[in-house]
Amino acid sequence: MRLQFMLSEIAIGLRRNLSIAVSVMLVTMVSVYLMGIGFLAQGQVDTLKGYWYDRIQVSIFMCGKDSLDANCDGKAVTDEQRDSLRSQLDEMKPLVKNVYFESEQQAFDRFKEQYRNSPLSDYLQVGDIPQNFRVQLNDPKKYDVVVSAFEGAPGVGRVQDQQKTLDKLFTVMNVVTIGSLFLAGLMVLCSILLMATTIRQAAFSRRRETGIMKLVGASNFTIRLPFVMETVLAALTGTGLAIVGLWVTADSLLPKVSAVLQDAPLVGTTDIWFVAPWLVGFMLVVSVLTSWATLRRYLRV
Amino acid sequence: MIRFENVSKVYARSTRPALSDINLEIERGEFVFVVGASGSGKSTLLRLVLKEEGVTQGTVLVAGQEVGSLPHRKVPRLRREIGTVFQDFRLLPNKNVYQNVAFALQVLGRSGHAIRQVVPETLEMVGLEGKEKRLPHELSGGEQQRVAIARAFVNKPPILLCDEPTGNLDPTTSLDIVRLLDRINRTGTTIVMATHDDDIVDQLRKRVVELKNGHIIRDENKGVYGSGS
């Protein structure tokens, strides 16, 4: 079939079925948008994991004079106890990467700086945060080795692992990811069903043309191609709009998030260019397969 | 050109065969009337040639190909060898005369150059020159059937099947249409025409195959409609 003739047939078909072609486009747009959000959220989780796990620390809080921790028994850590903890940590290399000591004054200053906008900082006094070792690990997943080694050791009030806190955050983000991918899946199903219905209707409304095509001996490919092309065109237009939507989201919404999360790295518009080809490819395959399968059923020779 | 060997066709959900044990040979360049009452099997005979239906038994040979065992993907090639004309014209209402005829070539992928050359020739041959821009509803029944014949013939198929092409036309117009088919026949095209228009059959004196209840009860050269039954 000649290109020009085929294009004119497609144009006629789309004009005749404009409303339903638009609905295919919109449903595809929403499903691809959700899918994109899901992928970007997953990408965000991965980036943040990498970023934070690198900085993750186990904090060994030592006993202060007013510590309420059971292990302290109301006594502050002695200098010998602190030195022995220090040497124990040094012996744990290479598991332990770095050890920083933070005095009560330093801890107080850091808290004041971090929460300078919060009323909490007004009530804090030096000594409320005990002196502590901040331990950076070579493999953050092995934090439990350090935790078990120091929990209950003399002079240690509490061992705190940031990973637990982070894991909660990541669980929330994973739920967002799974939720949006689940919704995207439903929407993709909707768009598949809608495409199938569209093609059924188009095949019915053009049965005269296809009937004549069959009679004069046009090949199956020729008869079916305009239907497939119309569906693919509608689906890809929707996908294109969805990608534009994702880009706008990343461009205008994410900067606001990054204002909250300070220097944490975020997915950005560049990630969308990475995801976009996959989304386009996916929708292309889905629309071609759906239309071909539907035509096999409703447009027999 | 077309050969039926012991062909039977039973439709699903029907007890009586539409055709039973048909043997028929149609030579290249022949003009054959297939006559008989409604339900005698005329349309089924044509549908078997086009492979719109498969045979239940026997073999159908069209232009040297065994139609029964023809795989699906080769059916289009078979149909390019056969032009088809129907009682209800089957024109595309939103395309004009020229576009309707050109459509048959466009879907076969013919070049624009070839189309611009062949379509006017064919329209002139069927007597529609000057009416290229008309839409089907602006034409008389006879003219519409001429468009349909032009569309069936524009690809120069060796076989032309006509299923009651004059069924919707008045006697004078009908005769014009059959004369046109006769002219096409003289170019060497084999024509098989199912009809129950006795006037036409009697006037043209061509080969007549009469069907009754799925059997051939008469096959004579230069026959008339009514004799023998």
Side-chain angles (χ1 to χ4, degrees):
Chain A
M1 186 147 42
R2 297 279 150 167
L3 186 66
Q4 197 191 348
F5 174 67
M6 198 189 73
L7 290 179
S8 80
E9 286 295 298
I10 291 172
I12 290 170
L14 283 176
R15 218 180 308 141
R16 233 193 262 182
N17 260 335
L18 190 64
S19 60
I20 201 153
V22 168
S23 68
V24 167
M25 193 187 81
L26 291 177
V27 171
T28 313
M29 184 183 87
V30 175
S31 57
V32 173
Y33 183 78
L34 285 174
M35 208 154 41
I37 290 290
F39 286 141
L40 290 181
Q42 188 56 55
Q44 184 65 74
V45 169
D46 289 344
T47 335
L48 285 183
K49 260 187 189 159
Y51 176 79
W52 273 327
Y53 278 4
D54 276 354
R55 286 161 183 73
I56 212 158
Q57 293 170 337
V58 177
S59 298
I60 301 171
F61 291 100
M62 285 161 278
C63 294
K65 55 184 190 305
D66 301 323
S67 289
L68 297 171
D69 296 300
N71 196 40
C72 295
D73 211 12
K75 285 176 226 144
V77 63
T78 62
D79 287 352
E80 292 85 59
Q81 281 171 337
R82 193 176 61 214
D83 291 343
S84 122
L85 288 172
R86 173 104 217 181
S87 56
Q88 256 181 286
L89 280 168
D90 287 341
E91 278 164 25
M92 287 180 88
K93 281 177 181 170
L95 177 69
V96 169
K97 194 176 176 185
N98 281 310
V99 181
Y100 308 99
F101 174 74
E102 194 176 53
S103 69
E104 288 179 343
Q105 183 62 44
Q106 282 166 329
F108 172 81
D109 291 344
R110 190 172 53 82
F111 189 92
K112 277 278 189 194
E113 170 63 24
Q114 262 181 1
Y115 294 89
R116 59 186 178 279
N117 298 322
S118 161
L120 261 180
S121 61
D122 297 340
Y123 302 103
L124 192 81
Q125 293 177 342
V126 179
D128 284 354
I129 302 174
Q131 50 183 307
N132 59 74
F133 287 114
R134 306 198 147 251
V135 182
Q136 207 171 17
L137 304 178
N138 267 321
D139 181 1
K141 290 190 193 84
K142 295 202 174 130
Y143 65 93
D144 52 339
V145 179
V146 179
V147 173
S148 61
F150 291 94
E151 222 162 29
V156 173
R158 207 147 33 90
V159 182
Q160 198 182 52
D161 167 35
Q162 291 173 331
Q163 178 136 9
K164 283 185 191 144
T165 326
L166 281 181
D167 280 349
K168 273 184 206 150
L169 177 71
F170 290 142
T171 311
V172 172
M173 291 192 74
N174 276 329
V175 169
V176 172
T177 308
I178 291 165
S180 60
L181 287 181
F182 177 72
L183 283 179
L186 278 184
M187 289 305 291
V188 168
L189 188 67
C190 280
S191 58
I192 287 173
L193 294 175
L194 191 62
M195 282 178 208
T197 314
T198 308
I199 285 189
R200 261 178 79 175
Q201 204 196 1
F204 183 76
S205 73
R206 268 185 275 168
R207 63 194 181 286
R208 240 193 262 260
E209 281 85 348
T210 50
I212 288 162
M213 284 174 158
K214 284 180 206 168
L215 267 184
V216 301
S219 63
N220 264 336
F221 182 76
T222 307
I223 297 174
R224 287 172 179 169
L225 193 62
F227 292 94
V228 176
M229 291 307 290
E230 280 161 43
T231 317
V232 169
L233 208 63
L236 288 189
T237 311
T239 309
L241 289 176
I243 289 168
V244 171
L246 286 171
W247 195 84
V248 169
T249 309
D251 200 46
S252 65
L253 207 67
L254 283 179
K256 288 176 191 154
V257 178
S258 72
V260 178
L261 284 177
Q262 307 251 328
D263 60 340
L266 288 168
V267 289
T269 45
T270 43
D271 295 271
I272 288 168
W273 301 134
F274 181 73
V275 177
W278 293 100
L279 294 176
V280 171
F282 176 76
M283 247 17 246
L284 187 71
V285 170
V286 165
S287 55
V288 168
L289 285 184
T290 307
S291 44
W292 202 258
T294 316
L295 286 169
R296 273 184 75 88
R297 210 182 128 97
Y298 292 104
L299 205 69
R300 292 192 161 276
V301 197
Chain B
M1 200 73 202
I2 300 172
R3 194 157 82 213
F4 282 68
E5 289 171 1
N6 310 103
V7 172
S8 295
K9 171 68 188 174
V10 186
Y11 285 104
R13 289 184 290 276
S14 162
T15 46
R16 199 176 61 81
L19 291 174
S20 68
D21 202 23
I22 297 289
N23 282 287
L24 178 68
E25 170 127 29
I26 295 170
E27 300 289 340
R28 182 182 297 272
E30 263 196 295
F31 192 128
V32 182
F33 286 117
V34 179
V35 301
S38 296
S40 57
K42 304 189 296 286
S43 294
T44 302
L45 193 92
L46 298 187
R47 291 168 70 81
L48 290 183
V49 174
L50 274 172
K51 203 177 160 96
E52 282 194 18
E53 300 285 346
V55 295
T56 314
Q57 229 171 28
T59 47
V60 178
L61 286 152
V62 177
Q65 300 178 83
E66 223 238 87
V67 172
S69 61
L70 203 64
H72 251 325
R73 62 192 163 78
K74 286 194 175 161
V75 171
R77 206 173 302 161
L78 168 77
R79 290 185 184 157
R80 276 172 228 173
E81 305 282 306
I82 306 169
T84 329
V85 179
F86 296 93
Q87 180 173 0
D88 57 358
F89 320 135
R90 300 198 190 173
L91 301 177
L92 299 175
N94 50 357
K95 289 192 192 287
N96 66 30
V97 169
Y98 183 94
Q99 289 165 336
N100 260 287
V101 177
F103 187 73
L105 295 174
Q106 284 164 334
V107 299
L108 295 181
R110 298 287 187 270
S111 73
H113 177 75
I115 291 171
R116 278 191 295 278
Q117 188 174 356
V118 177
V119 174
E121 279 173 21
T122 314
L123 283 174
E124 192 189 333
M125 186 190 143
V126 300
L128 283 175
E129 64 271 34
K131 297 192 172 162
E132 292 87 349
K133 295 269 164 63
R134 303 270 189 96
L135 289 170
H137 69 86
E138 297 168 332
L139 300 171
S140 70
E143 285 168 333
Q144 289 187 48
Q145 193 59 296
R146 281 168 196 273
V147 180
I149 291 170
R151 184 181 62 197
F153 188 63
V154 72
N155 195 31
K156 304 282 186 295
I159 301 170
L160 200 58
L161 300 181
C162 311
D163 194 355
E164 314 226 5
T166 61
N168 279 349
L169 305 174
D170 63 68
T172 323
T173 317
S174 297
L175 200 58
D176 286 347
I177 291 295
V178 178
R179 291 230 165 89
L180 171 60
L181 292 176
D182 192 28
R183 266 210 335 270
I184 290 173
N185 175 235
R186 279 191 211 127
T187 67
T189 309
T190 311
I191 294 191
V192 182
M193 173 169 159
T195 185
H196 41 221
D197 192 330
D198 46 358
D199 267 359
I200 283 170
V201 178
D202 292 349
Q203 285 206 26
L204 263 86
R205 291 275 167 171
K206 300 283 186 188
R207 181 177 169 191
V208 176
V209 173
E210 185 171 353
L211 287 169
K212 191 176 182 184
N213 295 334
H215 295 274
I216 293 180
I217 57 167
R218 177 163 65 105
D219 183 352
E220 57 186 18
N221 285 322
K222 304 199 175 181
V224 290
Y225 189 87
S227 75
S229 63

